[in-house]
Amino acid sequence: MADLNALKEAVIKGDRAGATKLTKELLAAGTPPKAVLDEGLVAGMAVVGARFKKNEVFVPEVLIAARAMKEAMTILEPVLVKAGIKPAHTAIIGTVQGDLHDIGKNLVAMMWKGANFGVVDLGTNVSPQRFVDAAQEHKASIVGLSSLLTTTMPAMKQAVVALRAANVTSKILIGGAPVTQAFAQEIGADGYAPDAASAVDVAKKLVTT
Ligand code: B1M
């Protein structure tokens, strides 16, 4: 008999086929879809995030776990939609203008999805105005800015300035290899996260303050 713990373990192991099969079995057995999400898939990604933070697992393991969760979500998502269950918070994410690096940004997006945030990924080379437009259109709780180049850190500041000037109320979280907590304070961002797992913790804290 499928159980939620087995689903959690399948995500941790990155077992795509297992995660999909268990999701189907749990739903067929009448398990509430929200429990399948929270106690199975999200719980599994939370373990992977915590291990990633402690350097017990690395980027490939996170990507493999996220892929297992994504595949199981294709089964679960229509059921959640039918039941009217939506993520409580929407997050916008993108790499700032002039910057094409997206591996770290994608990891943050995956971890956010794993924590049940609705995520709108704007991709790379995102202008300040696109961040503003997307935050307003999606009524985002969080806007995440990623930068991997010292030369694009000023574009991060421009995005923050544009969001504030447009009176966007979303919390702004920044990250990326050259970025620091001090820089976040300097440009008026609400938070900084050094890695994708911390980005979940910081985003959760920001949406409740
Ligand atoms: Co580029 N590159 N690159 N590059 N590249 C770096 C960043 C660099 C450090 C390499 C070096 O010189 N040693 C250097 C930057 C130097 C600097 O500015 N100080 C550099 C350079 C100079 C360049 C070019 C200018 C090279 C050139 O053309 N002359 C050029 C710029 C292009 C552009 O963007 N306009 C360029 C191009 C490229 C590739 C296209 C070839 C490729 C990118 C492919 C892609 O992303 N699809 C690339 C790569 C792969 C790298 C390195 C090797 C790896 C980056 C990476 O993906 N790391 C990198 C050197 C290095 O880091 N060893 C380098 C893995 C990833 C998981 O880590 O992105 O740091 P990271 O993300 C972490 C955290 O930073 C954090 O969480 C993630 C996971 O824990 N994080 C966030 C990231 N975003 C966050 C957002 C958050 C919170 C946390 O909240 C919203």
Side-chain angles (χ1 to χ4, degrees), residues 52 98-104 144 146 148-150 173 175-177 193-196:
F52 178 64
D99 201 323
L100 302 175
H101 295 86
D102 67 357
I103 299 168
S146 178
L148 260 288
L149 299 170
T150 44
L173 171 56
D195 56 63

Side-chain angles (χ1 to χ4, degrees), residues 42-184:
V42 173
M45 278 308 290
V47 171
V48 175
R51 290 183 184 168
F52 178 64
K53 215 161 142 181
K54 288 192 263 173
N55 291 324
E56 290 172 7
V57 298
F58 300 97
V59 173
E61 287 93 335
V62 178
L63 293 177
I64 290 166
R67 204 173 53 181
M69 170 155 182
K70 193 175 165 193
E71 223 160 276
M73 278 305 286
T74 61
I75 308 295
L76 185 59
E77 207 155 13
V79 184
L80 289 168
V81 170
K82 220 169 148 190
I85 299 165
K86 286 192 223 146
H89 297 285
T90 299
I92 306 290
I93 192 163
T95 307
V96 297
Q97 195 155 37
D99 201 323
L100 302 175
H101 295 86
D102 67 357
I103 299 168
K105 182 267 296 168
N106 292 346
L107 271 180
V108 175
M110 282 174 198
M111 295 298 288
W112 278 353
K113 282 185 193 159
N116 198 25
F117 280 85
V119 177
V120 178
D121 187 344
L122 301 179
T124 59
N125 191 25
V126 180
S127 69
Q129 191 57 45
R130 280 190 63 214
F131 280 113
V132 171
D133 292 344
Q136 287 172 335
E137 180 188 342
H138 298 281
K139 297 183 176 46
S141 305
I142 290 272
V143 176
L145 311 174
S146 178
S147 162
L148 260 288
L149 299 170
T150 44
T151 50
T152 56
M153 286 166 72
M156 205 168 229
K157 181 176 178 180
Q158 285 157 16
V160 174
V161 168
L163 286 157
R164 302 294 188 216
N167 292 322
V168 169
T169 54
S170 324
K171 296 288 168 64
I172 305 170
L173 171 56
I174 68 168
V179 178
T180 60
Q181 178 68 49
F183 182 67

